[in-house]
Amino acid sequence: MLAEKELEKEFSEEQAALREKLQVPNKTIGILASEKSELQAALAPTQQAARKKSGEAESFAARLCSSRERELELERTLASVSLQQKQAEKRNEELMKELEDPKQELYKHSKSSEEMKLQNSKLSRKFRCLVSQDSALQLYIKDWRKKLEMAERRIQQLSGSVFELQAERDQYAEKLKEVQRMWQQ
């Protein structure tokens, strides 16, 4: 019995020792559980903030992707506009070169037009001079026509007299011939 009591006592001491050993982890588990609750309570807003940040990050990622697409589109547009600008500049240079010939022609025609205006002015002065001379000549001719008409009238008057004188001369010549015939007989 003694041995049994000693065994029980020993068993009971070991059990107490084990209980004491078990209480430390139980206290630790209690502390850890309490800390876990506190950490979970503290973690909830952080998780919520993380989810919010995650949503924002996804939104930023989508916006970034959209911005990159827009950037690529703008780069393509810029490249297209640059190409169009180069083509427009090249076409502009070609048109400027093509415009040079008409400019030269216009300059020549302008110079020729000025020369023609000068020549036209000289010819106009010459024409006015000729018209003036023509007017003087017309007056001169008119004057001579009057004189001619007067001379023709005078000739007509005189021609009547000439015919009379010729007829008279012819009569005298006949008489002279008769007289000569008579003298010759």
Side-chain angles (χ1 to χ4, degrees):
M1 263 240 342
L2 191 55
E4 212 176 286
K5 275 190 178 182
E6 279 182 27
L7 276 172
E8 268 182 43
K9 188 179 175 189
E10 219 179 278
F11 179 72
S12 169
E13 285 175 5
E14 280 181 25
Q15 229 179 8
L18 283 172
R19 273 190 201 124
E20 274 183 44
K21 283 183 182 177
L22 280 174
Q23 280 181 355
V24 172
N26 280 341
K27 281 181 186 176
T28 306
I29 288 172
I31 292 169
L32 288 174
S34 172
E35 284 180 5
K36 180 183 174 187
S37 296
E38 288 173 15
L39 288 172
Q40 282 180 336
L43 182 63
T46 307
Q47 284 177 334
Q48 188 176 4
R51 280 193 293 274
K52 185 178 175 186
K53 295 289 182 192
S54 176
E56 288 175 3
E58 287 177 11
S59 173
F60 286 140
R63 286 170 59 189
L64 179 63
C65 184
S66 174
S67 293
R68 284 185 181 154
E69 288 176 7
R70 180 73 177 135
E71 181 184 7
L72 287 171
E73 183 182 323
L74 288 173
E75 284 176 357
R76 283 193 295 270
T77 303
L78 179 62
S80 173
V81 167
S82 294
L83 180 65
Q84 288 175 358
Q85 183 181 3
K86 285 178 185 173
Q87 289 173 343
E89 286 172 359
K90 187 177 179 183
R91 181 66 182 139
N92 192 28
E93 286 175 15
E94 290 171 359
L95 288 173
M96 290 302 282
K97 285 179 185 173
E98 288 177 18
L99 188 62
E100 270 311 304
D101 290 339
K103 273 185 179 177
Q104 295 275 336
E105 282 295 313
L106 183 62
Y107 176 74
K108 287 177 187 174
H109 287 306
S110 174
K111 196 160 185 161
S112 174
S113 175
E114 288 175 17
E115 290 171 0
M116 285 182 174
K117 282 179 184 175
L118 188 63
Q119 190 176 4
N120 192 23
S121 177
K122 287 178 183 176
L123 288 173
S124 291
R125 282 195 298 272
K126 194 172 183 180
F127 177 73
R128 283 193 296 274
C129 185
L130 288 172
V131 166
S132 176
Q133 287 176 358
D134 182 60
S135 295
L137 190 60
Q138 291 292 335
L139 287 172
Y140 185 73
I141 290 171
K142 189 175 179 182
D143 187 47
W144 275 103
R145 277 192 182 140
K146 284 181 185 176
K147 288 180 180 177
L148 181 64
E149 286 174 6
M150 287 172 61
E152 283 177 350
R153 274 190 242 124
R154 181 81 178 124
I155 288 171
Q156 285 175 357
Q157 289 171 355
L158 291 174
S159 67
S161 299
V162 167
F163 287 129
E164 288 173 11
L165 290 171
Q166 282 176 342
E168 201 174 310
R169 182 194 67 189
D170 290 342
Q171 285 175 1
Y172 288 133
E174 278 299 314
K175 284 186 182 179
L176 183 62
K177 283 180 187 176
E178 283 178 21
V179 170
Q180 281 175 348
R181 269 187 257 138
M182 282 194 324
W183 279 98
Q184 287 175 354
Q185 284 177 358

